[in-house]
């Protein structure tokens, strides 16, 4: 077998003084990566604490999570901390594949992506996370296009919302406190008040669907304890599907959320994100099936 290692010897940049050959220091590289990863986790934690202390900051977080609904709660926190106005994010190779160049000296957004698995001392399996550098479209040569206003047929959107619900749904003439919808945990039914407008139906039903999802996932479900998460899930879904969410009020965050440590806050944000994702995933399948088939020209 030919050996080509010698062609790399003396391959210093033109005009640069020849430097002494230094072997690659694997331990130093690992230490740098560890320090970088620790710094990113600390940024996520401090941002989580800021989000839990300020209702307007929490709403700002939800706006980021709604735009990047596939991102984990931790990565949404990192985007919020570094570039809350970001709208479209890719890594360097992703922009290159799209035929777009990243500008010189761009503002970098550091997020975390899963790497190799490892075994903990107790035998359970964990995952290492690596720092990934990504760039918003504003840091590239691409022209940022205005985000299209989400506009869907009201009937189709509502059909998607109630597709394969975790519990049956039933119409009612009246509900307590003039509520638009109500998840009755004892009867395992979501009651929906008759005669509402489409946007009111979406807001009220999405919140009660979140309650039903949380009850299914939690054996000791309590409506009062789940209220904040369900309310936040409804807001996320409204923002994603173009429903007016101006009436949502986050000025009084619950005490248990405000007083949690960073890990507890991120756990609550993850529960909000995952519950919204469960409902949105069902909606996506219905909405995709309703799309007309692509023409041959569109497929090309």
């Amino acid at each position: 077998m030919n050996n080509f290692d010698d062609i790399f010897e003396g391959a210093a940049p033109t005009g640069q003084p020849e430097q002494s050959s230094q072997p690659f220091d694997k331990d130093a590289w690992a230490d740098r990566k560890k320090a970088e990863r620790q710094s990113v986790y600390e940024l996520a934690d401090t941002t989580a604490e800021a989000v839990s202390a300020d209702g307007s900051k929490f709403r700002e977080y939800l706006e980021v999570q709604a735009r990047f609904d596939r991102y984990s709660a931790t990565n949404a926190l990192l985007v919020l901390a570094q570039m809350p106005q970001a709208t479209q994010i890719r890594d360097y190779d992703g922009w290159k594949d799209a035929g777009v160049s990243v500008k010189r000296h761009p503002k970098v957004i550091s997020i975390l992506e899963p790497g190799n698995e490892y075994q903990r001392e107790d035998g359970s399996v964990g995952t290492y996370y690596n720092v990934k550098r990504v760039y918003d479209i504003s840091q590239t040569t691409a022209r940022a296009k205005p985000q299209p206003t989400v506009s869907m047929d009201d009937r189709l959107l509502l059909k998607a919302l109630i597709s394969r619900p975790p519990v049956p749904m039933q119409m009612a003439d009246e509900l307590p406190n003039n509520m638009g919808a109500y998840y009755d945990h004892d009867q395992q039914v979501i009651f929906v008040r008759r005669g509402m407008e489409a946007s009111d139906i979406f807001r009220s039903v999405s919140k009660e669907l979140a309650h039903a999802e949380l009850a299914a996932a939690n054996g000791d479900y309590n409506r009062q304890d789940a209220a904040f998460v369900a309310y936040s899930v409804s807001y996320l879904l409204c923002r994603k599907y173009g429903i007016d969410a101006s009436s949502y009020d986050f000025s009084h965050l619950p005490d248990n959320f405000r007083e949690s440590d960073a890990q507890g806050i991120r756990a609550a944000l993850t529960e909000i994100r995952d519950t919204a994702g469960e409902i949105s995933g069902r909606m996506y399948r219905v909405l995709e099936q309703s799309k007309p088939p692509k023409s041959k020209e569109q497929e090309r």
Side-chain angles (χ1 to χ4, degrees):
M1 177 184 291
N2 291 329
N3 189 314
F4 300 99
D5 295 347
D6 60 303
I7 66 174
F8 295 97
E9 295 177 5
T14 304
Q16 295 292 325
E18 187 172 339
Q19 300 179 354
S20 60
S21 176
Q22 295 291 333
F24 174 69
D25 190 331
K26 184 178 179 180
D27 291 337
W29 177 84
D31 288 342
R32 286 196 301 271
K33 290 295 182 182
K34 182 179 179 181
E36 182 182 39
R37 186 166 55 247
Q38 182 63 32
S39 176
V40 171
Y41 272 116
E42 288 173 359
L43 178 60
D45 284 348
T46 56
T47 307
E49 291 166 355
V51 159
S52 72
D54 183 349
S56 61
K57 193 73 173 178
F58 177 73
R59 183 189 288 266
E60 194 177 359
Y61 159 79
L62 291 178
E63 291 291 329
V64 173
Q65 185 72 86
R67 289 199 301 275
F68 300 100
D69 58 340
R70 294 188 179 183
Y71 272 28
S72 67
T74 297
N75 280 338
L77 286 168
L78 291 170
V79 174
L80 173 64
Q82 297 168 86
M83 191 179 288
Q85 73 278 15
T87 58
Q88 188 177 350
I89 291 175
R90 299 184 186 187
D91 62 11
Y92 183 88
D93 288 337
W95 285 119
K96 184 179 179 181
D97 291 343
V100 174
S101 299
V102 175
K103 296 176 181 178
R104 293 185 65 186
H105 311 299
K107 181 174 176 57
V108 178
I109 303 172
S110 295
I111 61 173
L112 294 163
E113 67 173 356
N116 296 328
E117 293 183 342
Y118 66 95
Q119 189 169 24
R120 300 188 180 97
E121 291 183 1
D122 63 1
S124 62
V125 176
T127 303
Y128 286 112
Y129 282 83
N130 303 313
V131 176
K132 181 178 182 179
R133 293 173 176 81
V134 294
Y135 309 89
D136 181 53
I137 191 171
S138 64
Q139 305 303 299
T140 73
T141 56
R143 288 189 177 183
K145 297 179 181 179
Q147 292 297 300
T149 302
V150 178
S151 179
M152 297 183 186
D153 175 77
D154 289 340
R155 183 171 293 275
L156 174 60
L157 191 59
L158 292 175
K159 282 185 175 181
L161 178 65
I162 64 173
S163 169
R164 300 177 66 186
V167 296
M169 308 189 79
Q170 184 175 322
M171 300 303 296
D173 292 320
E174 293 184 23
L175 289 174
N177 302 317
N178 203 34
M179 296 174 69
Y182 176 69
Y183 166 64
D184 189 314
H185 186 53
D186 293 331
Q187 298 187 59
Q188 292 287 291
V189 174
I190 295 176
F191 292 98
V192 182
R193 180 161 52 86
R194 288 188 173 92
M196 292 190 293
E197 297 292 330
S199 57
D200 293 327
I201 296 173
F202 191 98
R203 284 187 289 265
S204 57
V205 170
S206 61
K207 179 165 66 68
E208 299 309 306
L209 278 171
H211 272 287
E213 291 287 350
L214 293 166
N218 190 347
D220 57 351
Y221 164 82
N222 176 282
R223 183 176 179 87
Q224 184 175 352
D225 293 342
F228 171 64
V229 171
Y231 189 72
S232 301
V233 168
S234 179
Y235 182 87
L236 275 180
L237 293 170
C238 286
R239 296 299 293 144
K240 180 175 176 61
Y241 291 102
I243 302 298
D244 178 25
S246 58
S247 62
Y248 286 70
D249 182 6
F250 295 103
S251 58
H252 300 288
L253 300 175
D255 290 344
N256 62 342
F257 182 64
R258 291 188 297 104
E259 295 168 2
S260 292
D261 59 15
Q263 184 176 359
I265 296 163
R266 287 197 284 117
L269 298 180
T270 297
E271 187 174 35
I272 292 168
R273 182 259 184 198
D274 290 352
T275 306
E278 191 70 30
I279 299 170
S280 187
R282 295 197 298 265
M283 294 182 67
Y284 175 81
R285 288 187 284 273
V286 173
L287 296 171
E288 282 296 300
Q289 290 171 2
S290 69
K291 288 182 178 180
K294 290 183 178 181
S295 66
K296 291 184 179 180
E297 182 65 26
Q298 287 175 319
E299 289 178 350
R300 286 197 293 267

